[in-house]
Amino acid sequence: MARTYTAAEVADEATCPEERVHWMTSIGLLTPDENGRFTFGAVLSVKMAIALLATSVPAESIERAAAEGLLKFQRTDEYLPYQPGPLSSRTFAEFQASAGPRARLLPAIFEVLGLPKPDPNAPIHADEEALFERFLEAWAMAPDEDALIRAARLMAAGTRAATGGWMDLQDEQVAEPARERLLRGELEEFPDDVRVGFTKVTRLAPDMFLWLSARYLEQRSVSGIVEGFERYLATRGLAPIPEPPSPPAIVFVDLSGFTRLTRERGDESAVVAATSLQRHADAVATRLGGRLVKLLGDGAMLRLADAAVGVEAAFDLVSTMSSEGAPSPHAGVHSGPVIERDLDVFGQTVNLASRIADVAGPGEVLASEAVVEAAGKVIFGFERIQDARLQGFPDPIPLYRVVRAGP
């Protein structure tokens, strides 16, 4: 049976005065059961009303809209995939004191996760205490305390990107068309079938995230265990010593004339081009065993296993974008040592790949001498062009244009 809440408990969850809950009940925006209790959806309703008041909508306007049936908070429970359990019997400060020395990092971890820092004198939910106890225990063997902050930052960045993008997409595809019709006066109220569809997409997101993250963890676990076991067997003379890995390749692909495209064809055309670059860059990197490191507005940065694969990725991506009529795609490739931290990549190899891309012409892929020496000429050829002086590098850099080898 679903838990219900008193008005005071709703106010605690929504961090507002209890009078706000009573006010919303009096104007019909909240409906208690026969015992005067509320479902957790009331908390979401109160938060939405508080947000409306914060936008300078006066309380009198909310009361009038509620009276005329223009504002309703119905079925809010259906929008909430997660409902927290009861509040802890102890304050957050007491929880910290019991959770070990690294629990002092929890306020910073909350902040990195994008959540308000807990009030030391107020409780958090008991299930949240259990979750953070597991978090502290799971990372207990990490010698560097900063690892906990980094772990939280990684989880926050991935979750925020996935959920934010998911919600933006469902708003664009499901809710916005109906909302526009409502604002134009073509509808009397928000269509129930759209609300149901919106709810289905909202509630699907956590399940999809859990399933897909489990699949990714499985893939990484298998590859990591196999690699470690192979190296261990080699140290015991039971397997060949693995070849040292080749230095990775960094690829920058940019779209020239992005500002002009926006000016001449409008923002929507620029969005289409940037979205296409993201989709193709992610697909090419995944197909070739690399990854899309980041998007840079009108560009993308990829990390590939070695020089040959990096050249293939750059050439394929520039060719694909050119065939779609993208504004002057071009790329730069360099291979060498990098520093990888929290899914980002740093170092001189990255800087040089970026500078090479800057001097590539429309439809052109340029590579460094290190790439040419490591990649070979089985699939691609390399034409020496004039050495280039690149920002941040004191000496001229030898460059090569990548061309498709063979007939």
Side-chain angles (χ1 to χ4, degrees):
M1 185 175 179
R3 182 188 171 202
T4 57
Y5 299 76
T6 65
E9 290 171 332
V10 171
D12 286 342
E13 293 284 353
T15 62
C16 73
E18 185 178 343
E19 290 73 20
R20 182 69 67 203
V21 179
H22 293 306
W23 170 68
M24 292 182 63
T25 303
S26 69
I27 63 176
L29 290 180
L30 295 179
T31 305
D33 63 17
E34 63 273 12
N35 297 314
R37 299 178 69 87
F38 302 86
T39 65
F40 192 74
V43 177
L44 179 61
S45 299
V46 172
K47 289 182 176 180
M48 288 190 287
I50 292 172
L52 275 175
L53 291 167
T55 64
S56 300
V57 174
E60 294 77 11
S61 295
I62 293 178
E63 293 172 356
R64 178 177 175 182
E68 296 179 6
L70 301 176
L71 180 62
K72 303 175 184 177
F73 293 141
Q74 296 178 333
R75 301 175 177 174
T76 47
D77 291 285
E78 298 176 12
Y79 292 97
L80 299 170
Y82 163 73
Q83 296 188 13
L87 291 170
S88 173
S89 60
R90 53 187 173 178
T91 66
F92 182 73
E94 291 170 337
F95 165 59
Q96 275 187 287
S98 71
R102 286 188 170 181
R104 71 181 186 282
L105 299 173
L106 286 176
I109 288 171
F110 268 81
E111 195 169 36
V112 167
L113 289 172
L115 302 173
K117 290 183 179 180
D119 181 348
N121 300 313
I124 61 174
H125 295 98
D127 55 356
E128 292 175 334
E129 281 190 356
L131 179 68
F132 282 103
E133 284 175 340
R134 290 177 60 196
F135 179 86
L136 294 170
E137 180 184 1
W139 287 100
M141 293 185 66
D144 185 359
E145 287 191 347
D146 187 51
L148 281 73
I149 303 296
R150 292 168 59 192
R153 184 177 295 113
L154 284 167
M155 185 60 68
T159 305
R160 187 182 297 114
T163 55
W166 183 276
M167 294 295 287
D168 287 346
L169 180 61
Q170 72 169 345
D171 193 64
E172 170 198 314
Q173 295 291 314
V174 179
E176 184 61 23
R179 188 183 299 118
E180 288 297 319
R181 293 181 63 198
L182 186 67
L183 294 174
R184 290 195 300 266
E186 299 173 8
L187 299 172
E188 290 295 324
E189 59 182 23
F190 198 78
D192 195 58
D193 61 334
V194 175
R195 180 197 59 77
V196 170
F198 191 90
T199 300
K200 287 180 178 178
V201 177
T202 300
R203 297 183 71 88
L204 174 63
D207 294 335
M208 286 286 293
F209 189 86
L210 180 62
W211 168 76
L212 191 56
S213 61
R215 296 298 299 270
Y216 287 160
L217 288 169
E218 174 190 323
Q219 293 173 2
R220 286 298 299 268
S221 296
V222 169
S223 62
I225 291 171
V226 169
E227 179 183 351
F229 196 55
E230 179 187 17
R231 294 169 60 189
Y232 174 75
L233 290 178
T235 64
R236 297 298 186 270
L238 299 175
I241 298 176
E243 292 289 332
S246 301
I250 301 299
V251 175
F252 278 86
V253 178
D254 294 323
L255 303 179
S256 300
F258 205 70
T259 302
R260 187 179 70 252
L261 175 69
T262 303
R263 184 176 62 251
E264 294 178 354
R265 303 184 191 176
D267 292 339
E268 199 63 36
S269 295
V271 170
V272 169
T275 302
S276 178
L277 174 62
Q278 176 183 4
R279 183 175 69 254
H280 290 304
D282 199 21
V284 167
T286 301
R287 175 172 58 82
L288 296 175
R291 63 185 177 89
L292 172 62
V293 177
K294 65 177 74 173
L295 294 172
L296 306 162
D298 57 352
M301 174 183 169
L302 292 75
R303 189 264 194 212
L304 286 305
D306 57 43
V309 180
V311 170
E312 183 178 355
F315 198 90
D316 284 1
L317 191 49
V318 167
S319 298
T320 299
M321 296 302 297
S322 295
S323 68
E324 290 193 353
S328 304
H330 56 276
V333 189
H334 183 47
S335 178
V338 297
I339 298 172
E340 301 193 51
R341 182 183 172 98
D342 299 343
L343 298 181
D344 209 342
V345 185
F346 307 90
Q348 282 292 83
T349 297
V350 175
N351 297 338
L352 182 52
S354 175
R355 296 306 180 196
I356 293 173
D358 289 343
V359 298
E364 193 172 50
V365 177
L366 297 183
S368 68
E369 196 164 48
V371 169
V372 175
E373 292 173 353
K377 300 182 180 180
V378 177
I379 300 177
F380 297 97
F382 300 95
E383 298 177 349
R384 179 71 181 265
I385 62 174
Q386 184 176 358
D387 294 357
R389 288 195 171 275
L390 305 179
Q391 183 180 342
F393 295 86
D395 300 320
I397 302 296
L399 293 180
Y400 297 78
R401 181 183 297 111
V402 179
V403 296
R404 180 75 71 176

